[in-house]
Amino acid sequence: MAQKEHKLREVVRQLAALFFSRETPRRRSLLTVTDAEILSRGRRAVILITVMPEAEEKAALDFARRRLADFRAFVHEHSRIVRLPFFEIRIDKGEKNRQRIDEIGKNM
């Protein structure tokens, strides 16, 4: 990964974590930004999240997707990124699998 893409990835991840920690209602679930992926030479950014409890995953994902326009404005206001990428939100399957492996390891 090029230095510029790595820096963009970290900025997007940090701003997403800050934005969603402020904007997410904590009544039913905990939404955590785990990572960001930069694709298409910086034109697209995928924000990876986990949600606890798992039963609230769909509702939290829908909420996060509805707030992407606000997130885009937040990134524009709080960063010096000239060309903002198109943002997507996805559940972090890798983190989910890691947690499952940890759970299996504890039960052995």
Side-chain angles (χ1 to χ4, degrees):
M1 179 181 298
Q3 178 72 17
K4 188 175 180 180
E5 284 183 4
H6 180 71
K7 195 172 186 179
L8 177 60
R9 176 180 164 227
E10 281 304 306
V11 168
V12 167
R13 186 188 60 75
Q14 289 175 356
L15 288 175
L18 181 61
F19 177 80
F20 286 111
S21 71
R22 289 180 179 177
E23 299 295 321
T24 304
R26 290 177 179 81
R27 291 170 284 191
R28 304 178 86 191
S29 65
L30 174 66
L31 185 149
T32 305
V33 174
T34 55
D35 203 358
E37 296 175 355
I38 304 301
L39 307 169
S40 302
R41 296 173 58 186
R43 291 187 197 109
R44 289 180 44 223
V46 178
I47 300 164
L48 301 172
I49 62 170
T50 58
V51 178
M52 297 301 254
E54 245 180 87
E56 295 295 325
E57 220 170 60
K58 183 176 177 354
L61 189 59
D62 290 343
F63 168 80
R65 286 180 175 157
R66 283 193 311 268
R67 298 302 308 257
L68 279 178
D70 296 332
F71 174 65
R72 185 175 180 83
F74 181 82
V75 172
H76 180 70
E77 183 179 326
H78 291 88
S79 73
R80 295 185 301 164
I81 300 172
V82 177
R83 283 183 43 197
L84 292 178
F86 173 78
F87 294 107
E88 296 177 39
I89 302 278
R90 292 187 195 152
I91 298 295
D92 189 348
K93 301 279 189 207
E95 179 63 20
K96 217 175 187 182
N97 291 336
R98 187 200 62 75
Q99 289 172 356
R100 180 73 178 131
I101 290 170
D102 286 348
E103 186 179 304
I104 291 170
K106 288 179 184 177
N107 293 334
M108 293 185 136

